[in-house]
């Protein structure tokens, strides 16, 4: 069974760590995940969340999309937890090369991380589909019905919806840091959401560390495996 001392040893001996995180990284900040028993996908709405968070639904039922989005996706009062804070400390110490995240909450940057690849975008960025003017998440939160730009265009969150492709620049950056890492820490993700889950296959280093509440398909490939809360475990690491 992997111990905290094992993880400390790996981190101490690493120089290019990349952290690959999913929804489980932010649950300790009070942001619900999607696929657990109490996650968003197991709650009841007029439409399934997977359908609401799709490109075609956004286009066809924009008002209904925003009703769900404001209620469930804009967690603007949440703060970074121990995982976010420790990762920022590791980056500042020259240990961590980058964070690659599937989350859209911006908590890594709020904690102080500088190199963050947001595979699925961010709720903190919103753009007019017509003139591309930028709008804050607070503007979206305080708007009613469909948020409109002063030019008359519809404002869309800079998040990757179902049926949409990932940003090429973000993908290339993430794959580059993963392929050059000596240690890859995979945390808070079931590794079932593609294409993001496939990114870990580009790792060529020595150590895979897996931190997740439940077992994953990659447990057998990892050097260290922890079925712990991410923040609680990382908080025990000394930088």
């Amino acid at each position: 069974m992997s111990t905290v001392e094992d993880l400390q040893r790996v981190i101490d001996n690493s120089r290019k760590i990349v952290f690959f995180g999913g929804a489980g990284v932010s649950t300790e900040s009070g942001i619900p995940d999607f696929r657990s028993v109490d996650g968003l996908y197991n709650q009841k709405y007029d439409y399934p969340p997977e359908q609401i968070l799709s490109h075609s639904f956004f286009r066809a039922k924009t008002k209904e999309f925003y009703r769900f989005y404001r209620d469930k996706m804009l967690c603007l009062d949440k703060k970074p937890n121990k995982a976010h804070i420790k990762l920022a400390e590791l980056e500042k110490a020259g240990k961590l090369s980058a964070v690659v995240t599937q989350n859209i909450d911006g908590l890594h940057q709020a904690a102080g991380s500088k190199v963050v690849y947001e595979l699925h975008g961010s709720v903190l960025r919103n753009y007019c589909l017509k003139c591309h003017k930028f709008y804050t998440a607070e503007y979206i939160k305080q708007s009613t019905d469909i948020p409109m730009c002063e030019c008359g265009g519809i404002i869309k969150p800079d998040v990757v919806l179902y049926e949409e492709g990932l940003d090429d620049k973000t993908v290339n950056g993430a794959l580059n840091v993963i392929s050059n890492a000596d240690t890859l820490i995979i945390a808070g993700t079931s590794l079932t959401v593609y294409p993001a889950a496939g990114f870990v296959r580009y790792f060529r280093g020595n150590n895979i560390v897996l931190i997740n509440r439940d077992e994953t398909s990659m447990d057998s490939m990892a050097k260290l495996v922890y079925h712990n809360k991410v923040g609680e475990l990382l908080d025990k690491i000394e930088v």
Side-chain angles (χ1 to χ4, degrees), residues 19 43 64 103 123 142 190 233:
F19 181 88
Q43 298 180 25
E64 186 70 15
N103 296 335
V123 298
Q142 294 169 12
S190 58
L233 178 62

Side-chain angles (χ1 to χ4, degrees), residues 7-53:
L7 179 56
Q8 184 73 61
R9 195 174 304 114
V10 165
I11 289 176
D12 287 346
N13 293 325
S14 300
R15 293 293 176 269
K16 291 184 178 180
I17 302 170
V18 167
F19 181 88
F20 181 90
V25 178
S26 291
T27 52
E28 288 170 81
S29 291
I31 296 177
D33 66 359
F34 282 77
R35 289 175 172 76
S36 67
V37 174
D38 54 352
L40 289 179
Y41 284 0
N42 289 301
Q43 298 180 25
K44 303 299 182 183
Y45 294 94
D46 293 341
Y47 302 89
E50 301 99 316
Q51 183 179 351
I52 297 174
L53 297 175

Side-chain angles (χ1 to χ4, degrees), residues 78-217:
K78 305 304 182 184
K79 304 297 182 185
N81 61 51
K82 294 174 181 178
H84 301 108
I85 293 168
K86 185 64 66 174
L87 292 169
E89 292 175 358
L90 287 168
E91 182 189 56
K92 189 174 181 179
K95 289 281 186 180
L96 186 78
S97 299
V99 169
V100 178
T101 181
Q102 300 175 73
N103 296 335
I104 58 176
D105 50 49
L107 292 181
H108 285 293
Q109 292 93 328
S113 290
K114 304 299 183 186
V115 184
V116 182
Y117 293 95
E118 298 174 307
L119 298 180
H120 297 153
S122 173
V123 298
L124 303 182
R125 300 186 299 268
N126 305 272
Y127 298 95
C128 171
L129 292 173
K130 188 175 180 181
C131 74
H132 308 295
K133 181 179 178 179
F134 172 87
Y135 287 88
T136 65
E138 288 77 11
Y139 180 89
I140 302 299
K141 186 78 171 179
Q142 294 169 12
S143 64
T144 56
D145 295 335
I146 302 173
M148 305 294 292
C149 177
E150 57 190 17
C151 80
I154 295 174
I155 301 169
K156 180 184 180 296
D158 186 20
V159 298
V160 179
L161 302 176
Y162 289 101
E163 305 165 354
E164 295 180 344
L166 304 185
D167 175 71
D168 287 341
K169 185 178 179 180
T170 304
V171 168
N172 292 335
L175 294 180
N176 181 59
V177 293
I178 290 173
S179 62
N180 285 292
D182 54 13
T183 293
L184 180 63
I185 301 176
I186 305 169
T189 174
S190 58
L191 293 174
T192 57
V193 179
Y194 285 82
F199 283 35
V200 300
R201 297 176 181 172
Y202 286 78
F203 177 64
R204 300 291 181 265
N206 300 318
N207 309 303
I208 292 180
V209 177
L210 214 153
I211 311 168
N212 195 55
R213 184 182 62 184
D214 304 314
E215 292 184 9
T216 76
S217 59

Side-chain angles (χ1 to χ4, degrees), residues 62-78:
T62 311
K63 183 177 179 179
E64 186 70 15
F65 168 89
Y66 267 114
R67 191 169 71 86
F68 176 88
Y69 182 81
R70 287 190 193 92
D71 186 34
K72 293 298 179 184
M73 308 301 289
L74 285 181
C75 305
L76 304 184
D77 60 334
K78 305 304 182 184

